Amino acid sequence: MLRWALIFLIVALVAGALSLGAVAGTAAWIAKVLFVVFIVLFLVSLVAGRRPPVV
């Protein structure tokens, strides 16, 4: 998921450099959403991994 966020960030940067504002804005928004989802899933996995096993 982090890989896709970075890919969309690169697409947004290239589109911004080529003056394609709508494409750059959309790609940047998608990159932000994917990054937030990645952070949330990462934190959930950290918390879930610290629990002792249920017997």
Side-chain angles (χ1 to χ4, degrees), residues 16-34:
L18 296 175
S19 300
L20 300 171
V23 175
T26 303
W29 181 79
I30 293 171
K32 286 180 195 176
V33 169
L34 288 174

